[in-house]
Amino acid sequence: MIPLPLARIAEITSGALAGMADPRAVVRGPVVIDSRAVEPGSLFVAIKGDRVDGHDFAAQAIEAGAVAVLASRPVDVPAVIVGDTVTAMTGLATAVCAELPATTVIGITGSAGKTTTKDLLARLTARIGPTVAPVESFNNEIGHPLTVLKADEDTRYLVLELSAREAGHITHLTRIAPPRIGVVLNVGTAHLGVFGGKEEIARAKGELVEALPADGVAVLNIDDPLVAAMAGRTGARVTWYGRASGADVRAENVTVDDRGRASFTLRTPSGAAPVGLRLYGEHAVENALAAAAAAYELGLPVATIAEELSEAEPRSRWRMEVTDREDGVTVINDAYNANPDSMRAAFGALDALAGDRRRFAVIASLRELGKDGPALNEELGRLAGGAGLAGLFVVGPDADPILAGAEAAVREAAGRVPAAGAPAAYAGPTSHAEARAVGGPPGAGEPPGTGSVARLSPVVAFGDAPAAGVQGATRVSHAADAAQAGAELSALLAPGDVVLVKGPRAAGLERVAAALLGGDRR
């Protein structure tokens, strides 16, 4: 943060100094909302949450070196008293950003992939100047201004994520730090229930390109029709990225190795270079292209962009973290968040990485999908049930739609769906994934064993998880919580198995991955 005396902070936030605060005392940063993160020279922002009130930690923050506390009530220590601390912090961030004319602000939005794209782009911009980017997914009305307040006179690039929970959110965030480059990744089904439809989600995401100045740049995904349509909502110049031949920055000759990592030729108007990603999942190609397109607009040579993309490792936790245990079990921890689109991408990554190895998945019911929630969760169950799993664990409440979809998919793959009151004839699997689902190798056409619905305390399962090297139907189980899922799954795993762990943030499925790894992060 740029150095500011308390008197100036009080002026910006329309606050009043209290608690013997020295108006000449200078805050040099960081601005923090966690008293444990206080450093000498900090400003501690006391936020009253549902479970914790930051005001209760005001004295602790001052003892740790904070110059003052931004508070909404007296706290008996040096403070700036304001009406609302989040609003005041937003005003402070807006004022600080306005004092940084040499800083280029880049905003990134989309239904999925924001954090990965942010991490990649921040790596690229760091090649040409000091860069500030959010920690993890600091992309809302609290995390966004906190990130902006990390910038100072030396900052040349401010790479920001912008999330939207309703219309107007992105507009609000762009007023804090007006972007010159706006990157829109995709329009999916995340928060579908909040917005009411994908068109409404697109309208909200498009607020980013509407905020761009005439001499700015909108970096748009040519492969997503709802994103492509945003070109008509901005006066800024448009740069297209994607796989289509009309993209300015595009991927050609995409291949995926046996670890699920993509390689491709990065094509730009000024030339091409090979990229070999260390990120897992083919969907990372789109994130890499978005970052490459923005970096290209900043003047980075294509060879430099390709080099940096090829060296980038996963930076933010619980996003496609792939860990091999000493016994050969592979755990894919993608538990930070989930929506229907990212679930499909994750199962695609599992399929590529697992190959012919035995595979398991731990998932949870998707949320914020509104009236479409039951149908979309049943569709998720069908996806998982047809993914060739040895075992599927569905964790937590509201699991019935997923369980129903998964069991239906397993029965259909096994040719056990009754027709007109009689069992259907088994016609053989129609895909490699279906062949694995019924227990046969890719291309197998022989009918599997009949199996049965069994009740295994404390989970309900369809069939049994086949032992390593033994063919059998997918076990579909319901676990009350992450701890139960981790314990049940641990007992089933054998050397060489692969496990996907993915669910909405509230499900806390990262605890399953932690239990499976037990500190083993080879």
Side-chain angles (χ1 to χ4, degrees):
M1 175 174 153
I2 60 175
L4 289 174
L6 286 181
R8 176 61 178 148
I9 292 175
E11 180 183 0
I12 292 170
T13 60
S14 299
L17 298 181
M20 301 296 291
D22 181 355
R24 297 165 297 180
V26 175
V27 172
R28 303 183 183 278
V31 177
V32 299
I33 60 173
D34 185 338
S35 61
R36 295 168 297 183
V38 167
E39 300 174 12
S42 292
L43 177 68
F44 173 61
V45 181
I47 296 177
K48 188 179 187 305
D50 294 333
R51 293 179 294 178
V52 177
D53 187 347
H55 294 80
D56 296 337
F57 300 90
Q60 180 179 322
I62 295 298
E63 290 174 3
V67 175
V69 176
L70 190 64
S72 59
R73 57 178 171 81
V75 287
D76 296 326
V77 295
V80 179
I81 307 299
V82 297
D84 179 84
T85 54
V86 173
T87 300
M89 181 173 64
T90 297
L92 183 60
T94 304
V96 166
C97 194
E99 294 294 319
L100 303 173
T103 300
T104 297
V105 177
I106 306 169
I108 301 169
T109 195
S111 295
K114 293 185 294 294
T115 299
T116 299
T117 304
K118 173 263 299 180
D119 289 342
L120 291 172
L121 184 52
R123 180 186 179 101
L124 289 165
T125 57
R127 284 290 296 261
I128 51 177
T131 296
V132 169
V135 174
E136 303 271 336
S137 292
F138 275 32
N139 56 23
N140 60 14
E141 68 277 7
I142 295 175
H144 188 80
L146 276 173
T147 301
V148 172
L149 287 167
K150 290 183 177 181
D152 58 24
E153 298 94 334
D154 295 328
T155 303
R156 291 296 169 263
Y157 300 99
L158 186 52
V159 182
L160 300 170
E161 288 186 47
L162 290 82
S163 70
R165 295 296 296 270
E166 61 183 46
H169 275 188
I170 289 179
T171 296
H172 169 70
L173 299 179
T174 60
R175 288 171 178 164
I176 299 172
R180 296 195 65 80
I181 297 177
V183 181
V184 186
L185 303 175
N186 44 55
V187 175
T189 49
H191 311 309
L192 187 64
V194 177
F195 287 99
K198 291 184 72 171
E199 290 74 16
E200 287 71 24
I201 295 173
R203 193 169 295 115
K205 302 296 185 186
E207 292 171 7
L208 173 57
V209 301
E210 291 177 344
L212 297 172
D215 60 349
V217 181
V219 178
L220 302 180
N221 183 354
I222 197 171
D223 299 325
D224 187 320
L226 290 174
V227 175
M230 295 178 191
R233 296 171 59 182
T234 182
R237 180 167 54 83
V238 174
T239 287
W240 301 103
Y241 77 89
R243 302 199 192 192
S245 59
D248 302 297
V249 176
R250 61 185 182 273
E252 298 176 344
N253 307 316
V254 178
T255 61
V256 179
D257 68 14
D258 59 5
R259 294 284 288 174
R261 296 168 298 198
S263 295
F264 59 93
T265 299
L266 175 64
R267 179 74 59 183
T268 73
S270 62
V275 174
L277 295 177
R278 299 183 183 182
L279 307 180
Y280 294 91
E282 188 176 349
H283 59 284
V285 172
E286 278 63 40
N287 304 143
L289 287 174
Y296 183 79
E297 285 296 330
L298 295 172
L300 266 73
V302 62
T304 302
I305 295 172
E307 174 189 345
E308 290 294 336
L309 291 178
S310 298
E311 293 179 356
E313 300 276 1
R315 181 178 295 182
S316 296
R317 62 180 179 170
W318 308 337
R319 293 171 176 84
M320 276 294 155
E321 290 182 354
V322 178
T323 305
D324 295 318
R325 298 193 329 194
E326 288 187 356
D327 63 357
V329 169
T330 299
V331 178
I332 306 170
N333 183 355
D334 197 31
Y336 188 83
N337 215 336
N339 58 60
D341 304 302
S342 66
M343 275 290 191
R344 283 189 287 272
F347 273 97
L350 171 64
D351 189 60
L353 194 150
D356 291 329
R357 300 159 66 187
R358 202 171 64 144
R359 58 189 69 184
F360 293 82
V362 183
I363 61 178
S365 179
L366 303 177
R367 306 181 182 191
E368 297 184 346
L369 298 176
K371 62 181 178 57
D372 296 315
L376 289 172
N377 274 299
E378 183 173 348
E379 182 180 325
L380 169 59
R382 287 183 171 273
L383 170 69
L389 302 174
L392 169 67
F393 286 81
V394 185
V395 179
D398 304 321
D400 286 348
I402 298 180
L403 293 169
E407 293 187 4
V410 173
R411 291 183 186 276
E412 289 168 8
R416 293 193 289 266
V417 179
Y426 179 75
T430 58
S431 68
H432 286 190
E434 185 178 325
R436 286 189 292 267
V438 301
E446 295 300 319
T450 56
S452 63
V453 176
R455 187 168 295 273
L456 288 82
S457 180
V459 297
V460 177
F462 172 78
D464 295 311
V470 177
Q471 305 299 343
T474 300
R475 166 181 169 142
V476 181
S477 307
H478 178 221
D481 53 33
Q484 182 182 336
E488 292 281 340
L489 180 53
S490 293
L492 297 174
L493 292 179
D497 289 346
V498 183
V499 181
L500 170 67
V501 181
K502 184 164 181 66
R505 186 71 201 92
L509 296 189
E510 71 278 358
R511 296 194 294 272
V512 176
L516 297 179
L517 293 172
D520 180 355
R521 298 191 55 81
R522 203 182 68 163

